Amino acid sequence: MTQWAFDNSLIRALPGMFTPWHAEAPKAPRLVLFNDALAERLGIPGRAAGEAQLADWYSGAAEVPGSEPAALAYAGHQFGQFNPAMGDGRALLLGEIVAPDGARFDLQFKGSGRTPYSRGGDGMSTLSAALREYLVSEAMAALGVPTTRSLAVVATGGGIWREQPHPAAVLTRVAASHLRIGSFEFAAADQGREGVERLADYALERHYPALLGAPNRPLALLEAVAEAQAQLIAKWMALGFVHGVMNTDNVTISGETIDYGPCAFLDTYSDLQVFSSIDAHGRYAYGQQPAVCRWNLYRLASALIEPIAAVNEADAEAARFVLEDWPIRYHDHWLREMRAKLGLATERGEDADLVRDLFQLLEGQQADFTMTFRALGAAFEHGFPVLAEQVLEPDKLRRWFASWQARLAEEPADPAARRAGMDRVNPLYIPRNHLLDDALTAAEAGDLASVTAMLAAVSAPFHPQAGLERFAAIPPLDAARHVTFCGT
Ligand code: AMP
Ligand code: MG
């Protein structure tokens, strides 16, 4: 029989950074979604345990054997403002599962009731918010983006009010850990240098164990997180993903995407596109994400600077350099992603210009981000017209298309193989905003069919699937949704 291989290291290692707590008992838990493949990867009981048992475990109705539930404390900069007292206000860490291959994962509830960190909030999640996170995080995983995963959604049987009544649900989330920049900000503000040192060693052990022998461990951690985040944001940008709330409490130390609230994928490309209803000034617009990431890394650096300087005063300068240099680091990753999207296997100095020109030409063209890149792959077979179909003024793109073709000619390749390579990085299916909204509305009304169909499409995002064509459709202009809500 499958055991629950819990080993709750955070509870042992980080006193003062959590409060032991329990989930609120749900009224009538009912399993809505369960990720069997993920359960198997974790080596924990799967569907064979029975739906009623899973519903009880993943809602807080029955204690998960070996778990030691706790709400984590953290701080954070929210839209630029420091908030020293945040923490798991509607989340609960169950503990850490050690998978059969030795990898360690946090299991966490979201929406399991109030905690000491809830402040004015009710600690609950709507069913649609839980399903939204499930769908988008699983889509991101299938797209090859580091991300938290979703294991289960259980409707609690209760209701909550978010401008209108909604069914409530608990999402069970799986993460390499839930340590975030805000955890370091909390340790620095609340515990001072020793607390930050303890947390930095713990984070290295969990995420970057090879760096434990580094001469300056907190500096090595800063650099590792800067690198992981540069890779992550490059992937977001290459897929047109807009996170929506890049506050420092939503930036992981592991480099996984976390907290799918008002996130969205671009339909029409624009650097300025914002979706979140709470982002009035466009702080977290699509094109702002690299700059904001660096701003967030400065917050991590300021929490780590005392421990860094305590090891070696001169290393403060090295920390400064990690951040000064970050745009170059990011740009290298971004260009690698973009080369693959354009079918380029070699590196040339002018490639960055080729990519920039393309984005400049697409601005204002009402070009669907996802379909435009998919069309570039199809152009090997059908030529310029497939790209022309994607934009309002095709003539503006003719010269660019010719330079791209000329660039491709410099590295001869079999067109079919090249197209196949591009189709492996330029998805066909993303969780499109208007379809996602419709699927979630139907799910709250009791019809899960669209959610499960969409999940099937986005779980294999690069391959056309019979019967799922509608999930690749561009929204009619009047149906494109440009506002998403935290809906928590
Ligand atoms: P988020 O926007 O999800 O990153 O959350 C920001 C902060 O608000 C975190 O400390 C959350 O725990 C807290 N929070 C968000 N929604 C709720 C809620 N419904 N009840 C209690 N706390 C919440
Ligand atoms: Mg958060």
Side-chain angles (χ1 to χ4, degrees), residues 179-254:
L179 299 179
R180 49 195 99 211
I181 291 181
S183 312
F184 283 83
E185 295 180 279
F186 176 84
D190 196 67
Q191 305 182 330
R193 197 181 97 196
E194 275 179 29
V196 179
E197 286 169 348
R198 194 161 48 227
L199 180 58
D201 283 347
Y202 179 80
L204 282 172
E205 191 151 349
R206 267 191 90 162
H207 301 300
Y208 310 101
L211 300 177
L212 278 168
N216 189 328
R217 293 197 303 269
L219 174 63
L221 178 67
L222 176 66
E223 185 160 13
V225 178
E227 172 63 19
Q229 287 292 331
Q231 291 183 20
L232 179 67
I233 306 301
K235 286 193 184 291
W236 290 1
M237 297 303 281
L239 290 163
F241 177 76
V242 184
H243 182 280
V245 228
M246 290 175 72
N247 293 336
T248 56
D249 59 295
N250 294 336
V251 180
T252 58
I253 297 305
S254 65

Side-chain angles (χ1 to χ4, degrees), residues 74 86 90 110 173 180 245 249-250 258-259:
Y74 54 86
M86 298 180 70
R90 63 177 150 159
K110 214 170 154 181
R173 170 157 90 180
R180 49 195 99 211
V245 228
D249 59 295
N250 294 336
I258 195 170
D259 257 12

Side-chain angles (χ1 to χ4, degrees), residues 3-184:
Q3 300 295 312
W4 293 91
F6 274 106
D7 175 47
N8 306 318
S9 68
L10 183 141
I11 301 289
R12 299 192 295 269
L14 299 178
M17 294 219 42
F18 62 89
T19 306
W21 202 252
H22 282 278
E24 218 166 82
K27 263 173 130 174
R30 179 177 58 83
L31 189 69
V32 179
L33 287 179
F34 183 72
N35 193 335
D36 240 333
L38 184 56
E40 193 177 328
R41 196 262 169 270
L42 296 173
I44 59 177
R47 214 173 267 279
E51 291 209 357
Q53 178 67 79
L54 294 172
D56 282 352
W57 278 333
Y58 294 119
S59 63
E63 194 178 278
V64 175
S67 63
E68 293 176 85
L72 299 189
Y74 54 86
H77 278 79
Q78 299 176 290
F79 291 91
Q81 296 298 310
F82 184 58
N83 182 345
M86 298 180 70
D88 287 338
R90 63 177 150 159
L92 195 64
L93 179 67
L94 293 183
E96 300 151 38
I97 288 286
V98 181
D101 67 351
R104 181 179 292 265
F105 297 94
D106 277 6
L107 287 196
Q108 192 211 52
F109 283 163
K110 214 170 154 181
S112 55
R114 288 178 53 78
T115 76
Y117 308 103
S118 297
R119 292 167 292 165
D122 59 9
M124 311 283 256
S125 266
T126 63
L127 175 60
S128 57
L131 292 173
R132 189 180 164 81
E133 171 149 349
Y134 193 114
L135 265 164
V136 184
S137 66
E138 289 307 297
M140 292 286 267
L143 289 164
V145 184
T147 177
T148 62
R149 302 288 304 272
S150 295
L151 179 64
V153 172
V154 176
T156 64
I160 51 172
W161 189 267
R162 294 285 185 274
E163 284 158 2
Q164 50 177 341
H166 290 269
V170 177
L171 170 78
T172 302
R173 170 157 90 180
V174 176
S177 87
H178 284 84
L179 299 179
R180 49 195 99 211
I181 291 181
S183 312
F184 283 83

